[in-house]
């Protein structure tokens, strides 16, 4: 693909779906049972074995998983979570739905990860914080050793928002298993997908039991148990005011096939990530993405060097989209969101590191089966635009 090719259409992301996924879904369609049952149970078991975690609960989204995790950790009126403003909005609104409040700690200066120093400052100031929620942005794992030490010191829970982090593996273990609870996402653009969906992971049996009950209306029996058990099928009890967060079999079947390909997908993403790095390595007007131990290579987050260019990140984005290149931005910080600004009086100057990264960051197309010539075209287009707008 060359600069002269027209028209160009490079999607930001394209799910890697094959015949195996199609056959798995069709099998469920023909089974007569579409909701949560044996496929979901099998998916949980296989995911648990993959990440070496005792309890895994399939849910209909990462957001639902965060809601259940926070409820199990005691988030309610009069309590708070502490998280980063540099994340998708549901990391915060999950706490708000439970009546809790949200506090924010800035990210590290040279990464997108929440700063342990900022966490400790907030924990010292406010004893009503019940959980810290680090977010593994782009697949780079936060400093979980430091965060867990702070959690132990200040007696708070750690809920990992691992939406980007499967299968990120560090020497301590898989991201999502390093705190008290981890929550993964299987949204269409994630490292494996069920279309919509997620998974909760915890080695704490008590927390797992609470989330299991709350996942489906607070009922003491699953629908599948009522269908297969010799006990009266219609008889059940509601023991808590639960939610509706279960993952149906039709989606779990898709997830089971994707799970088998997870490491293959990882290697493909990593190869393309390194290809981008090679193409951009001599560009002093760009900074390469963080690439720490255990990276899942979910996103490619390029950063412009504003002092070297006459155009802003937004102007570069518009130019790329005009050339048919699908881009995104991870993330618009919460202090730029009207609701959160009005609720907490947030301002960019309160989070200088997050604001700096936001102004400079652009997310480039990256998916497992992305052709290398699309990577080359994307990089060449960025380099050409930036050289035409270089400050000499």
């Amino acid at each position: 693909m060359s600069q002269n090719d027209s028209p160009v259409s490079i999607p930001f992301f394209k799910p890697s779906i094959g015949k195996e996924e199609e056959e798995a879904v069709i099998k469920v369609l023909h089974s007569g049972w579409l909701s949560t049952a044996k496929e979901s149970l099998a998916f949980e078991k296989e995911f648990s074995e993959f990440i070496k975690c005792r309890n895994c609960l399939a849910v209909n989204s990462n957001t639902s998983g965060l809601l259940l995790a926070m409820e199990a950790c005691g988030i309610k009126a009069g309590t708070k979570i502490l998280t980063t403003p540099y994340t998708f909005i549901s990391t915060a609104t999950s706490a708000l739905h439970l009546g809790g409040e949200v506090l924010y700690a800035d990210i590290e200066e040279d990464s997108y990860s929440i700063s342990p120093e900022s966490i400790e400052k907030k924990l010292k100031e406010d004893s009503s914080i019940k959980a810290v929620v680090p977010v593994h942005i782009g697949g780079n794992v936060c400093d979980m050793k430091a965060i867990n030490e702070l959690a132990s010191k200040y007696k708070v829970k750690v809920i990992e928002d691992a939406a980007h982090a499967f299968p990120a593996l560090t020497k301590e273990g898989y991201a999502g298993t390093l705190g008290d609870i981890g929550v993964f996402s299987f949204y269409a653009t994630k490292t494996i997908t069920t279309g919509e969906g997620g998974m909760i992971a915890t080695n704490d049996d008590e927390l797992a039991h609470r989330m299991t009950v709350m996942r489906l209306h607070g009922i003491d029996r699953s629908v599948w148990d009522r269908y297969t058990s010799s006990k009266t099928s219609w008889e059940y009890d509601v023991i808590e005011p639960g939610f509706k967060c279960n993952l149906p079999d039709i989606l779990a079947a898709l997830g089971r096939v994707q799970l088998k390909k997870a490491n293959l997908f990882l290697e493909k993403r990593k190869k393309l990530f390194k290809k981008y790095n090679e193409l951009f390595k001599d560009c002093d007007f760009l900074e390469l993405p963080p690439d720490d131990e255990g990276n899942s290579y979910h996103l490619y987050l390029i950063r412009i060097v504003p002092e070297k260019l006459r155009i802003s990140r937004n102007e570069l984005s518009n130019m790329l989209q005009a050339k048919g290149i699908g881009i995104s931005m991870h993330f618009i910080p919460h202090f730029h969101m009207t609701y959160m600004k009005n609720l907490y009086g947030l301002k960019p100057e309160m989070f200088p590191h997050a604001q700096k990264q936001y102004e400079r960051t652009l997310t480039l197309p990256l998916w497992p089966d992305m052709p290398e010539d699309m990577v080359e075209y994307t990089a060449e287009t960025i380099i050409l635009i930036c050289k035409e707008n270089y400050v000499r």
Side-chain angles (χ1 to χ4, degrees), residues 269-281:
R269 290 194 308 275
K270 182 177 180 180
K271 181 180 178 181
L272 297 174
F273 190 102
K274 300 298 184 183
K275 179 73 173 179
Y276 271 130
N277 279 355
E278 180 65 23
L279 294 166
F280 289 134
K281 69 177 182 180

Side-chain angles (χ1 to χ4, degrees), residues 9-173:
S9 180
I10 299 178
F12 172 68
F13 188 86
K14 187 176 181 181
S16 297
I17 301 294
K19 187 173 180 59
E20 304 96 327
E21 285 89 347
E22 293 177 15
E23 291 174 348
V25 170
I26 290 171
K27 183 179 178 181
V28 174
L29 291 174
H30 290 169
S31 73
W33 190 283
L34 305 185
S35 191
T36 304
K38 58 183 180 180
E39 287 290 330
S40 298
L41 293 172
F43 187 29
E44 291 174 344
K45 182 177 184 295
E46 291 160 3
F47 198 88
S48 178
E49 291 170 351
F50 191 109
I51 63 171
K52 299 175 176 60
C53 184
R54 194 157 61 242
N55 304 290
C56 285
L57 305 175
V59 287
N60 54 25
S61 69
N62 171 269
T63 302
S64 293
L66 289 171
L67 184 74
L68 291 170
M70 291 180 191
E71 197 280 338
C73 289
I75 302 304
K76 57 186 177 182
T79 68
K80 298 172 184 174
I81 67 161
L82 176 62
T83 192
T84 165
Y86 210 97
T87 179
F88 188 61
I89 195 64
S90 63
T91 310
T93 54
S94 297
L96 299 182
H97 291 317
L98 295 166
E101 297 181 39
V102 184
L103 289 180
Y104 292 103
D106 203 0
I107 60 176
E108 296 172 329
E109 184 174 5
D110 296 320
S111 82
Y112 298 94
S113 297
I114 191 169
S115 161
E117 291 78 13
S118 295
I119 290 174
E120 181 157 34
K121 180 181 178 182
K122 296 292 184 179
L123 289 174
K124 282 180 178 179
E125 294 172 351
D126 198 327
S127 61
S128 62
I129 297 171
K130 297 300 179 186
V132 175
V133 187
V135 185
H136 307 307
I137 302 295
N140 275 288
V141 183
C142 298
D143 186 349
M144 292 304 297
K145 184 176 184 293
I147 292 170
N148 283 329
E149 287 173 356
L150 290 172
S152 178
K153 178 179 178 180
Y154 291 95
K155 296 180 172 51
V156 298
K157 296 291 188 183
V158 176
I159 302 170
E160 296 173 77
D161 186 336
H164 294 181
F166 180 73
L169 178 60
T170 72
K171 59 180 177 293
E172 287 84 21

Side-chain angles (χ1 to χ4, degrees), residues 221-274:
R221 296 176 67 191
S222 70
V223 176
W224 185 240
D225 174 66
R226 287 159 54 196
Y227 180 73
T228 59
S229 173
S230 58
K231 184 180 177 182
T232 310
S233 63
W234 54 264
E235 191 172 51
Y236 64 87
D237 191 13
V238 175
I239 57 177
E240 293 287 350
F243 308 101
K244 182 74 165 69
C245 302
N246 57 302
L247 184 74
D249 268 17
I250 196 168
L251 301 185
L254 180 58
R256 293 182 68 192
V257 178
Q258 289 269 296
L259 181 61
K260 292 181 174 68
K261 301 179 180 181
N263 284 325
L264 173 62
F265 289 166
L266 172 62
E267 289 306 312
K268 288 184 173 183
R269 290 194 308 275
K270 182 177 180 180
K271 181 180 178 181
L272 297 174
F273 190 102
K274 300 298 184 183

Side-chain angles (χ1 to χ4, degrees), residues 189-210:
T189 60
K190 296 303 187 288
T191 55
I192 67 171
T193 185
T194 58
E196 295 278 1
M199 189 75 74
I200 306 170
T202 182
N203 284 305
D204 187 313
D205 294 338
E206 186 176 339
L207 291 174
H209 175 72
R210 176 68 182 183

